[in-house]
Amino acid sequence: MNTSKNILITGAPRSGTTYIGKVLEKNNNYIYFHEPFRANHGMHGINHRFPFAQSFNYTEIVDEFFNGDAKFIIKKHAKNTIWEYYIKKLIGNRDKIKYRNYFNDKKQSKSLLLKDPFASFLSDYIFSKEYAKVITVVRHPMAFYCSLKQKKSDFDFKNFLGQKELIEVYFKDEVALIKNAHNLTYEERIALLWKCINKVFTAVENKHRDKDGWLLVKHEDISTSPIDFFQTLCNRLQISFTKEMEQFISETSYNKGKILAEGNIWHDFKRDSSALKEYWKQVVTKEQVQRIYNIVSEIADLYYDKSSWQL
């Protein structure tokens, strides 16, 4: 039994991890951290998107984070003056200050809430060490594809190839496709990314599924009935479903007719959640669906009925 009160929310990007994090943060018993294990963003020493626990010294970086010894990257943003940057270097950025205060507070009553899709391949280690309960989120491959395409987001598979332990443990059957990813169509490349991430989750899910504190959820269940979903999730996590959580869900999930995020907003929460899950069916061709299905079917069939593909 995982008795940690900390929570890690992970899953493929664009699968609802941020939204779950923002809702759970309204419980007010958590200190929220956004993607601390993301390369070139969170902590020093992480050089791959989707670091694998058995590669390099990534377990040590995880240990440092949960033991209060994390070393955060300090970046100069475009809006920072040179003096603002030097002050950040001296005292730390917001995450570093928040983190330091958390571990220095001997009477700390709150727990850590981490939202990080890039911690997908660290989730097994984090859960096994009882550093945190883990929520993994799965989203239909076609909805995942359309969401990444809308944001013009791609993936460099050198992040996987550079971790030989990851390839050896999980991706022996996919290595040829991974090495040739630059020659694949965009939809095939995104399909391969979905398959790889969720292949790992499926293996880890089989290992932990009967253990308290390991939760696998589907994006479509959030979209269908968000309040019911979060009430059930809170019960499983053994935390309170607060009025603040319910109000946030009501304000963000029932914006009838609004499906796409506005402009360049990466996370636009105020949308029509029930319409969002089916939107991909309006914007893809049957040929695209077939190409994606051909790549992901081995894993996708474990989570989604073939009828959901409209083939």
Side-chain angles (χ1 to χ4, degrees):
M1 176 185 293
N2 189 320
T3 58
S4 174
K5 293 183 179 180
N6 301 327
I7 298 173
L8 166 67
I9 307 157
T10 191
R14 311 301 300 169
S15 292
T17 56
T18 301
Y19 187 70
I20 293 176
K22 289 302 181 183
V23 173
L24 294 184
E25 188 182 15
K26 300 297 180 184
N27 178 274
N28 295 320
N29 286 315
Y30 294 98
I31 305 294
Y32 178 82
F33 287 91
H34 185 86
E35 300 180 0
F37 299 105
R38 178 181 173 184
N40 303 314
H41 173 82
M43 290 175 293
H44 281 288
I46 296 179
N47 300 311
H48 302 86
R49 291 209 165 192
F50 301 100
F52 180 48
Q54 296 178 31
S55 295
F56 301 95
N57 65 333
Y58 290 142
T59 55
E60 294 177 19
I61 294 174
V62 173
D63 293 339
E64 288 176 353
F65 180 87
F66 286 100
N67 290 323
D69 300 316
K71 302 172 183 66
F72 285 86
I73 294 171
I74 308 298
K75 285 188 171 184
K76 184 181 183 301
H77 297 291
K79 293 182 180 180
N80 291 153
T81 67
I82 191 68
W83 295 111
E84 288 173 329
Y85 175 62
Y86 281 135
I87 290 171
K88 283 203 300 185
K89 291 282 284 185
L90 182 65
I91 66 173
N93 58 17
R94 280 178 294 180
D95 274 355
K96 184 175 181 179
I97 294 169
K98 183 168 56 173
Y99 179 85
R100 184 172 60 233
N101 290 342
Y102 174 82
F103 279 97
N104 286 341
D105 186 353
K106 302 303 181 183
K107 297 181 180 180
Q108 182 59 254
S109 60
K110 295 190 176 185
S111 301
L112 297 172
L113 175 63
L114 315 180
K115 173 270 177 186
D116 199 339
F118 300 102
S120 294
F121 302 161
L122 300 172
S123 60
D124 183 21
Y125 181 77
I126 289 170
F127 183 81
S128 296
K129 291 281 287 187
E130 297 192 12
Y131 284 142
K133 294 180 171 66
V134 175
I135 303 170
T136 59
V137 191
V138 178
R139 189 178 190 183
H140 196 286
M142 293 309 307
F144 172 71
Y145 159 72
C146 286
S147 186
L148 263 66
K149 184 179 180 182
Q150 186 207 355
K151 296 301 179 185
K152 299 179 181 178
S153 180
D154 209 331
F155 182 71
D156 185 349
F157 280 88
K158 290 177 183 177
N159 287 284
F160 290 173
L161 292 171
Q163 302 182 83
K164 61 181 180 155
E165 296 85 358
L166 175 62
I167 298 294
E168 182 67 23
V169 174
Y170 285 114
F171 300 148
K172 288 181 180 179
D173 294 339
E174 289 77 28
V175 68
L177 266 181
I178 290 172
K179 287 181 177 179
N180 191 49
H182 59 285
N183 290 321
L184 300 177
T185 64
Y186 177 73
E187 59 257 29
E188 289 170 334
R189 197 158 52 249
I190 297 305
L192 179 60
L193 177 61
W194 187 98
K195 180 182 181 182
C196 288
I197 294 172
N198 289 287
K199 182 177 184 179
V200 175
F201 278 139
T202 299
V204 181
E205 162 76 1
N206 289 337
K207 179 179 178 182
H208 296 306
R209 68 173 55 175
D210 296 324
K211 299 175 184 176
D212 289 341
W214 179 270
L215 297 80
L216 188 144
V217 301
K218 292 166 73 172
H219 181 275
E220 293 74 23
D221 294 334
I222 308 172
S223 300
T224 300
S225 185
I227 289 178
D228 289 344
F229 170 86
F230 280 102
Q231 287 176 330
T232 300
L233 182 66
C234 287
N235 286 338
R236 294 179 68 187
L237 291 168
Q238 298 181 329
I239 64 174
S240 299
F241 180 73
T242 66
K243 290 182 179 179
E244 291 82 2
M245 295 166 77
E246 184 171 5
Q247 181 178 348
F248 180 78
I249 295 166
S250 296
E251 290 174 351
T252 54
S253 298
Y254 302 104
N255 293 272
K256 191 167 181 61
K258 184 182 176 186
I259 299 173
L260 300 181
E262 292 183 353
N264 294 320
I265 299 175
W266 191 257
H267 297 296
D268 186 352
F269 299 127
K270 294 186 176 182
R271 293 193 267 173
D272 185 339
S273 65
S274 62
L276 179 63
K277 67 175 183 174
E278 302 288 344
Y279 174 71
W280 66 265
K281 296 177 181 178
Q282 303 174 33
V283 295
V284 297
T285 66
K286 190 171 184 178
E287 290 73 23
Q288 287 175 317
V289 175
Q290 188 65 63
R291 280 197 294 270
I292 290 174
Y293 181 75
N294 289 345
I295 290 175
V296 304
S297 59
E298 176 190 357
I299 303 300
D301 285 352
L302 300 173
Y303 300 99
Y304 297 99
D305 190 271
K306 195 169 181 180
S307 62
S308 71
W309 291 81
Q310 291 193 327
L311 288 172

